[in-house]
Amino acid sequence: MPLSAQTKPSPVENPFSQVKPSVFVRQSTKTRGPQGQGEPLVCGGQAGHGGITRRRPGFLTAAVTTLATRGLIALMLFALLPLPWQQTVFQTLGLGRFHPSLQTVRVPLPVDYSHISSPYGQRWGRPHQGIDLAARAGLPIFAISDGTVTHSGWESGYGYSVVLDHGGDLQTRYAHCSQLLVPVGSRVMKGQPIAKVGSSGHSTGPHLHFEVLVKGLRKNPAWYYPFKESPQRYWLTVRKKIE
C-alpha cells in the first residue's frame, strides 16, 4: 500500500488535557472596596466559599500597646494621690512593706519593743502564727487600729489576751498580757492602751504575741503592718544584742 494511503497515527492523548489549570495553580485575587480601600487577600476563591482569609497583621501589638498605655496613665494618676491614700491602698492589699514611705514606721506599734524575738512561720517544728515582740513587763500595749473588743480575758496557751475586730473580716490578737485595760464590747481608738506586757500562758519571758486574723485565718502580721525591723531577719538583731 502506498505510503500516502496509510492511515496516519492518531496523536497520543494527554491525560491531563482535561484538567483545569486552577487545580495546580493557586490563584490570588485582591478585591477593592467601594472607596478603593484594600480588602483582605483571598486565596483560592472568594471568602465564604472555602477560601483562606489573611487578617491584617499588628492587631495584637496594638492591643498590648493600648493596655500598656492605660496602665502607665493609671500609675501616674496613682502617684498623684496624697501619700496617706497610697499607704492605705498598699496596706489594704497587704503590700505595706513594698511602699517606700512605709519602710519607716508610720502606724502606732502594738508595743515599744526592743526586738522581734520570734517571727511568723515555723518554730520548733510547729507553725508560729504570730510575731513575738520582746518588751519589758508592764509596758503598755496599744491598739494598732480602731476596733471593737470581742475578747478580753484568759485564753488557753495565750494567757491573758485581747482580741479586736477592725471590720472587713480583720482582727488582731494581743496575748501573754499581765493586765487587761478594756472590757468586751468597748470601742477603742488607734494607739489607745488596751493591756500591759506580761508573760502569762505558755511564755518563756515578757513579750507581746501579736496576731492578725483575716476571716478567722491567721496571717503574717508583716503583710499588713510595718515594724521597726524586718521580721525575716530578726536573728541579726538578737545576735547584735548578745555580742
Side-chain angles (χ1 to χ4, degrees):
M1 181 182 295
L3 183 60
S4 60
Q6 294 180 0
T7 305
K8 295 182 180 180
S10 59
V12 179
E13 184 178 357
N14 186 355
F16 301 101
S17 61
Q18 303 300 323
V19 181
K20 296 181 179 180
S22 60
V23 175
F24 300 98
V25 180
R26 194 173 187 180
Q27 299 178 355
S28 299
T29 60
K30 189 172 183 181
T31 60
R32 293 283 178 176
Q35 297 181 357
Q37 296 180 354
E39 296 294 329
L41 184 63
V42 180
C43 299
Q46 297 294 327
H49 298 280
I52 303 175
T53 302
R54 297 178 184 173
R55 296 184 178 179
R56 295 177 180 176
F59 71 95
L60 183 59
T61 303
V64 172
T65 303
T66 301
L67 291 176
T69 302
R70 292 181 178 179
L72 181 60
I73 293 175
L75 185 61
M76 294 174 62
L77 293 176
F78 180 80
L80 296 176
L81 291 176
L83 185 59
W85 292 13
Q86 296 182 28
Q87 294 172 344
T88 300
V89 171
F90 271 74
Q91 290 176 350
T92 302
L93 297 176
L95 302 174
R97 66 188 186 281
F98 295 114
H99 197 284
S101 67
L102 290 174
Q103 299 305 314
T104 56
V105 179
R106 292 182 178 272
V107 298
L109 293 170
V111 69
D112 186 17
Y113 63 93
S114 60
H115 63 278
I116 294 176
S117 57
S118 185
Y120 179 93
Q122 290 294 321
R123 184 183 67 173
W124 306 328
R126 297 183 302 174
H128 182 239
Q129 299 180 322
I131 290 181
D132 288 349
L133 306 172
R136 289 189 296 106
L139 284 180
I141 297 171
F142 307 103
I144 203 165
S145 185
D146 299 351
T148 302
V149 180
T150 58
H151 172 82
S152 180
W154 183 269
E155 282 189 277
S156 178
Y158 291 112
Y160 291 108
S161 66
V162 175
V163 178
L164 301 181
D165 186 352
H166 305 285
D169 297 321
L170 176 66
Q171 294 179 315
T172 53
R173 174 181 277 114
Y174 310 77
H176 303 310
C177 306
S178 61
Q179 184 180 356
L180 306 178
L181 305 178
V182 290
V184 174
S186 61
R187 181 73 180 173
V188 297
M189 304 301 292
K190 181 178 181 179
Q192 177 180 336
I194 57 175
K196 292 186 178 181
V197 175
S199 187
S200 58
H202 296 167
S203 174
T204 57
H207 72 281
L208 169 64
H209 175 84
F210 178 68
E211 289 184 358
V212 170
L213 299 90
V214 179
K215 295 183 179 180
L217 300 177
R218 296 176 181 87
K219 303 292 184 178
N220 188 348
W223 294 351
Y224 298 86
Y225 303 103
F227 292 88
K228 290 191 298 185
E229 57 184 332
S230 170
Q232 287 72 22
R233 303 183 64 186
Y234 77 109
W235 277 118
L236 295 178
T237 305
V238 175
R239 289 173 181 170
K240 287 181 180 179
K241 290 183 177 296
I242 294 176
E243 295 173 356

